[in-house]
Amino acid sequence: MQLLNIHHGYNFRDLGGYRTADGRTVADHRLVRAGKLDRLSERDQAFLGAHGVTTDLDFRSPEERAEAPDRLPVGADYDFNPVFPYDKTQVTKSWAEEQAEFAFDAKGGYKNMLKTYREFITNATSQKAYRHFFDLLLAKTDGTVLFHCSAGKDRTGMAAVFALAALGVPEATIREDYLATNQYVGGQKAKVIADAKREGANANMQQSLADLWIARPEYLDAALATIASEYGGMARYLEQGLALSAGEQADLKRLYLKEA
């Protein structure tokens, strides 16, 4: 995994270099996960173009896209693919909405995230979006696919979980990649909490906001437990929930893995 040198964005990571269970590695310049792209400078746009990004896949809601439209990497196509019809992760909700929901419950944000991660697995719109994600990956014989949401943590995090699982990366490595977000969103999280505090957020609200911005192991565990209970495990979820055939998984490995 390589953190990309983006000046006006956060959590941009190339997934190349992760080892699979059979000893191969994820190829560089093929899969990039990221936070939102609305603040990219011209330098950042050119940097991503030079990195090979040819597709920008946006998992955000229509409202999020309208409020903060992407600045496309140079030469990239745009693919709008909302995981939910609105932002269930709530990292972009207005102050008034957040205050109403979380001011009286310090665990409000945490409980919201657990519910959201279960819905990643069971929600029909989410399944359709993640299936489209794989359709796009299967169609891209070269170039880099950049996929993102707002923080690059939840909707994007689960896309990375599914992609790495389909490529045969061990669960322990997938978990490390998911939790690595916490190294890269700290500054943005602190800014959000500081802004809320200035506007009168109480301790409950501040804790809920923190929980919206943290990649907690329990969140991923909620998704994996739902996969286990509803499908019997990740392999069957990919096959049945996302209709990803054995042949398609073999094609993904051919396209996105290299010999170590």
Side-chain angles (χ1 to χ4, degrees), residues 117-127 226 230-231 237:
Y117 272 75
R118 297 184 190 106
E119 291 182 356
F120 282 140
I121 309 307
T122 60
N123 183 280
T125 302
S126 300
Q127 290 184 346
T226 304
E230 297 291 327
Y231 292 91
Y237 179 72

Side-chain angles (χ1 to χ4, degrees), residues 47-111:
F47 178 93
L48 290 171
H51 192 78
V53 174
T54 55
T55 300
D56 166 19
L57 183 67
D58 186 352
F59 285 131
R60 298 176 301 163
S61 67
E63 179 184 15
E64 291 170 279
R65 179 177 68 163
E67 291 178 354
D70 283 1
R71 292 177 60 84
L72 292 179
V74 172
D77 296 324
Y78 179 72
D79 191 322
F80 184 54
N81 185 36
V83 168
F84 294 120
Y86 57 93
D87 180 19
K88 285 177 175 283
T89 64
Q90 297 184 323
V91 297
T92 56
K93 276 200 171 232
S94 71
W95 159 249
E97 290 171 314
E98 289 173 335
Q99 185 180 45
E101 294 180 19
F102 300 139
F104 300 104
D105 183 2
K107 302 289 283 186
Y110 177 83
K111 290 185 287 189

